[in-house]
Every structure is written in structure tokens, then in C-alpha cells.
Amino acid sequence: MWRSLWPTIDRFSLHHFRYIVNQLREIRVVDKRNREVVLDLLQSIVEIVTYGDRHDPAIFECFMEFQVLAEFVRILKIGGNSGIEAALLQYLSIMIQNVENEHAIYYCFSNGYINSVISHHYEFDGGDLIPYYVSFLRTVSGKIGRDTICLLVKVHQDTAISLPLYDEALKFANHGEKMIQIAVRALTLNIYSVADEMVYQFLTTPTASAYFSSLILNLKNKCLHVDAIINGVKESFHEKKRELLSETDRILDDFYYLKDILCIPEQRLNKLVTENIVNMLILPMLLTLLNNRLSNDTGLSAITCLYVLCRLLQVFDGTNLVNVIGSAVLFSFMPPNVTDAAESVVSARLEQVNGLAVCYQEGEEMVDLQHEGAENFMMNYVLKHSLEFTELSSCFDSSPLENSENEWGGIFSCIFSRNHSLMLGSLMLLFTVADSKDLHYQLAAKIGFSQVKTASEMIGSTVAGHIQKIVNQLLKVLASEPPLSVPILLHAAWFLRKLLVFLDQKLEDNDCHLFKTSYEGSCGRLYEEFDRCWFDYIPDVLKSEWANCKTALEESSQSKDPFFLLELASIQNPPSGNTGPAFDWQRMVDCVKLLGSIGEKISFGSFIGKLRFRGSGIPCKIAFSGAGTRDIYVIPIAREISGKLLLVERHPLHSRKGVVIAIAPLAGLDPKIDEEHPTWLLVHLRDFEPRLRSDETKTLDSHTSLPEQGRWILGFLSAKDCKAAFSVILEETRKQRSFVENLVAPVLEEKLFK
């Protein structure tokens, strides 16, 4: 009753807002005793201002009249050790994020209040303040535009000397927390997108532009870490793979961030970033490859260089980077015998690679970058000088293909390297350059993979003329004895198919023999699996993997993940001694994949298996844990592709019927009679049971533990019964294996050669 007589307060009214602001202005010190009161006042102000921005313009006019932002700055300064900074930054972020009126945003950024909050001395002692601070900076960056960014710049004599929003954010660019790194990068992209002339002058000063150099240096350090993981001796392969995936994801994030910067239509920014990428990342890596070294002066291996360059070409758009790399790849095919001595060759190549960057800079100075047609002029200028460096026409006209492999330098020597990872990596780089849509037509004609189709056109290409020898090298890898690891063979088959599609012609007699040898070797490895524990799954795996192999072989170099290079480098000495059904399964799947990669034109029908059985079993005993000893009958039975070992217990009501209490696949039983107990029969069980889907075959998961192989011990009444059961199991297994072999034989024996 009395409550109805009490006047209600409209908490979003202008009157209440003035009251809250006056309450805040009376605060002279902030400590733990009044901290909550101050926070309530700040929260109320933010809520009312956000409401007023949409419904009552008078509230924001009052906000400006009382200079409430100045009160926020004052509270921040007198906060001391009260721990109010995080909440204050959060409330400011909420207010700035929700204010939509352009005049209100302009006011918030004027008078230096935001800069005062940004430049305040915070105690970042590893607590929770950093996320709130960086979030506040990102929120501010999301509201700036070309008309308001100038309000955050500190100017001296008409020259920008500082941008606190940018400077303070970069201090957290390499923070260990991923979300903070993302926020800082989003902030920088917001600034680059709306920067005006004055801001870009500041960003290109040596002090501010050092950020881009630091970014590339950190990227190189990540590449060095990749090398360290590959060369580590303590970790297992699966641990290495997890670490490599994590580190390469970080490298890929850096690439996409740099790509986002280059997508901003500002020539000065693009030039600055491109120069850093070329001079600090690309050229040192190219020098490693062109000088035929396994690592460069910084310790970066050739394999990592190849991975990074391939990834860079796949991520970045535009012509500058791909054509610099393409030019370097082209003159890497120059044979060293063009010069008088090996020393002059190395020095000449150093000058050639660095000359590409010099030519690019000279071209920029000769033409207005904003002028129409400037890009074509730049590319022609660089190409002209790169061709002068390489002396392509004289080099290749006077250098027959029959020269010794040791006489070739650069990537060409990598292609014929005995290091198979290096060979596949150099081919991957070559294919990625050739397939780039931004490759200049003159370079594309010299490489000859994409545009060249006829034999007459092939004469003028630099690389296409050597394809037959590259094909021969790949076939030697596929037909090698003893066979190489399956991953190497799978990727070699991918490159081989690409080259055969390009050649559009039959193999030479020697190459045809190697191809047939490699195919027969793949068939032989698969035939060996019929004597192992997973032969009954071979038809199903063939059916599921065949389409996957065809899809993988048709994958373009632009979409093929070069991560396989790092994997291959990590398993040069693959671990041995792995046993058990799970590892046997993986080996069988790999054999099927390899066969599908080499003979992907083979086709086959569907596989059908049914299970029926008749007749009686052999009596025996078995003991199950927790169930005691049970009298059962052993019935092994194989019908077409299916084969099972049934343990049947007599039915309690029907003497001629039984109840199946356990089933095990015949494949992998490997029955053995115990030497000390001739009435005991030991059979092994496949505890690892894969589940096949139409689009994917189950493979080993490195994150899960594998079960140990189980077994049954069957006790018979006599040694004769035990031998009889042993013989029947082997006979039924043979029948099942014979059916599977006959089912798969037409696939393996299909004629691939005329």
C-alpha cells in the first residue's frame, strides 16, 4: 500500500542520468571499500548512454556537456590497486560498440580521451587485464573510419609521430594467447583499411614498419621450429605429426594474415609487405634451393623451404610473388657447365636471385604505380632482366639432356636427388608454380606444363623438354627394390599421373617396363596380405578405397596439401616392430591404396557375401571369465567371402539345436595346438574391428590406444578331436581365402599394357 505512494524512478531518464553522473563526479578515491559502488555507477552510465543513442538524443548531449569520458579517465587514474581497470575497460568497450550515431562516435574519439585510456599505465602482471585491454583496443578499431582515425593520431608539425591505438596493440602481437593474437591482427587490418595519407606516412616510417620485419622474422622462427621437430629423435612419429600440424597451422595463419594485408588496395602498404616477404623469406629460401644446399645460413632445411614456398604460392593471390619464384625456378635449370668454375656459378646465382628484387625495385622507380598498365610494364621489365640473368636460350640450346645428373644445379638437381622427400618437394614446387593462374604467360610458356599441349610447342619450353626423364625417375622410385615406404610411393604416383596426363602419349619401352614392374610389385604386396589376418576385408577395402584413390590422383597442385613433404622427412627411418591386428590392418589398407594409385583405371563389380551352415560341430570346453567352464561345439564355416568360427551351446529344450554364444572371424585365427597340452587348441582374435563407410576407410588413430590381441583356448576330449578341429578350421579358412582370391584376381590381372 505504502509502496504505491512512493514515486517511481525512470532509470533511463535524463534526470536520473544527471544524478548518476553527479554521483560519479563526487568520487575522490577508489579503493576496495567503494569499488562496487563505482562500478555500479559506471555500468548505469553505459546502459543509459546506449539507450539514449537510440531513443533520446538529449542524453548524449548531457553526456558531452558533463564530459563523462573525462570522468572515466579520472576514475582510471585514481583507481590505484582497486582492480577497477578491467571492468572499466569492459564498460567502455560495450558503450563504444553499441553507439551508432556518427556524431556520438566522433565525440568519443575527440579531445584525446580514448588516447588517454589507451596510453594509461596498466599493470599487466599476467592476470586477466590483458584480454580486456586488447578487446577494448579492437572495439575502438572497429569504429574508426577515414574521418575519425585522424583523431587518434598524435601529430607534430603536420607529421604523424604516433598512433597509440596501433603502437600499444603491437606490444601484444606475439602474445601466447591465440585469441589475443587474433584480436591484434584484426585491429591492424581495421587500421590499414581506413588509414589516410598521414597515417600511411606514419606506417611506412622505419619505426612503425619494423612490425612487418618482425612478423617475417617470427615466421622464419616458426619454420626453424618445424625443422627442429622433423629432426627430433625423442618423439614418436605420431607426436611429431601432431606438433608439425600445430606449427604449420601457425605458419598458415601468418600467410593468410599477410594475404589480408596485401588485399588492401594501398600500393605503399603492398610494396612494403611484399619487399619484406621477398627479401627476408622468399629469396633466402630460393638461395638454399638454387645453390643445391640441404640448409641455408640460418639452418633452414631445403624440405621446409619447399613446403613454405608451396604453401605461399597456394595462399597468395597476385602476380608479384609467383613470378619472382617462377623466374628463380626457371634459371635454376641452368647447368653449371655454362660457367668456367663452380665458384663462379654459386656467386652468379646469388647475383641472379638478388637481381630479381633489384629489378623489381628499379621498375617501380621507372613507372607511376597508380598508372594504368603499370603492372604489365613491371612484369615485362622483371622478366626481361631475369631472362638476361639466366641466358635461357644459349643455356638450353647447348646443354643436351644426356648430361650427367651431377652437372645440373638448382631444383633440377633436387628432382634427381637420392633424397626422395627432396625430389617430391621440388616437383611439388614446380607443379604449384606452373598451375598458378597468376603466372606470367612468358614464364608459363618456358615451364610448359599448363599451356603447352603439342609436341611442336613443347620444343620452346624449358621444363617440358625434360618430362620424359622426370617420368623415368618417378618410375624408378615406384619400381624400386626393396620397395620404399608407402607414403613416398603414393605421392610419386600422384606426380607420375600428372605428367602422363600432360604427355598425352605412350611410355617409352623402358618406362613401360618400369611401370609394369611397379604395378606387379603393388599386386605382389597385396597378394601377401591374403596370408595375413585381414584378407577377408580386402574386397571391401578395394571397393571403398578405389574411388578415394581416383579423387586423390585428380587433385590439383593448388589444392594438394604440401604437408606430406614434412611427413616424409619425419619418417625417413620408419619405426619397426609394430605388430598386432591394428597395424596389420593399416598395412593392408596402404597396399590397397598403392595399387589404386598406380592402376587407377581398373574397375570391378560389387562383392556379396552370405553366411549359412549345416552339420554338427566338434565338442570341447571353454572357460570364460566370470562364467566358468562351459561345454560347447566348435563349428568353423566359410560361405563365399564370409568365414566365421561359431561356438555353439546345446539348446536346453531341443537336442538337435544349439545356441550361438560367441562368433569370431576365421581370418586371423592362426590356430595352433599347444605343445605341452595336445588337447588344447589356441586361436587368436582380432580385437581391432574396423568400420567401413562408403566414402572413407578406417585408419589408425594416433590419439587412441590400441587393444591387445585376444585369444581363446579350446579344450577337447582327445588329441584326435583337437587335430580334427585344427584341420577343419584350416580347411574352411582356405576355402574362404580361395574365394576372396578368385574374387580379386580379375582386378589384379587386368591388362594395363597393350
Side-chain angles (χ1 to χ4, degrees), residues 383-401:
L383 283 173
K384 174 185 175 183
H385 286 270
S386 65
L387 296 179
E388 290 177 358
F389 290 146
T390 59
E391 302 175 357
L392 286 175
S393 57
S394 61
C395 290
F396 290 100
D397 291 342
S398 61
S399 303
L401 185 60

Side-chain angles (χ1 to χ4, degrees), residues 42-51 72 91-92 94-95:
L42 295 176
Q43 180 179 355
S44 297
I45 290 174
V46 169
E47 291 174 348
I48 297 173
V49 170
T50 302
Y51 171 85
F72 274 73
Y91 291 145
L92 274 178
I94 294 172
M95 184 180 70

Side-chain angles (χ1 to χ4, degrees), residues 627-644:
T629 302
R630 304 177 71 168
D631 294 322
I632 59 171
Y633 292 85
V634 174
I635 305 177
I637 183 168
R639 290 293 183 270
E640 297 182 350
I641 198 173
S642 298
K644 303 294 181 183

Side-chain angles (χ1 to χ4, degrees), residues 18 33 61 143 160 195 233 252 295 305 323 327 341 348 382 411 459 462 471 529 583 617 626 657 687 689 733 753:
R18 287 175 175 170
R33 290 175 297 180
E61 291 179 3
K143 286 294 184 177
V233 294
L252 202 56
S295 62
C305 291
N323 286 304
S327 299
V382 173
I411 292 182
I459 297 175
T462 297
V471 167
E529 294 300 319
F583 292 100
K657 295 183 179 181
D687 288 344
E689 287 296 328
T733 304
F753 306 96

Side-chain angles (χ1 to χ4, degrees), residues 296-343:
N296 57 26
D297 295 337
T298 61
L300 199 60
S301 70
I303 291 296
T304 303
C305 291
L306 288 166
Y307 168 79
V308 173
L309 290 174
C310 291
R311 263 305 186 196
L312 186 146
L313 290 172
Q314 291 176 340
V315 170
F316 285 83
D317 297 325
T319 60
N320 293 335
L321 298 179
V322 66
N323 286 304
V324 167
I325 298 176
S327 299
V329 169
L330 268 183
F331 70 71
S332 72
F333 283 83
M334 180 181 66
N337 57 15
V338 174
T339 57
D340 296 330
E343 291 80 5

Side-chain angles (χ1 to χ4, degrees), residues 235-284:
E235 301 87 351
S236 68
F237 169 69
H238 294 305
E239 291 173 344
K240 280 187 177 182
K241 184 175 181 179
R242 284 197 296 269
E243 291 187 33
L244 285 173
L245 286 171
S246 176
E247 198 65 26
T248 52
D249 283 345
R250 294 173 61 193
I251 293 175
L252 202 56
D253 288 343
D254 289 348
F255 278 170
Y256 279 110
Y257 173 54
L258 291 169
K259 177 185 176 181
D260 290 338
I261 297 177
L262 293 177
C263 288
I264 296 172
E266 171 51 48
Q267 190 64 39
R268 288 166 295 183
L269 183 64
N270 289 349
K271 175 184 176 182
L272 182 62
V273 175
T274 301
E275 287 179 351
N276 278 279
I277 295 175
V278 171
N279 294 328
M280 299 180 63
L281 188 67
I282 294 179
L283 292 185

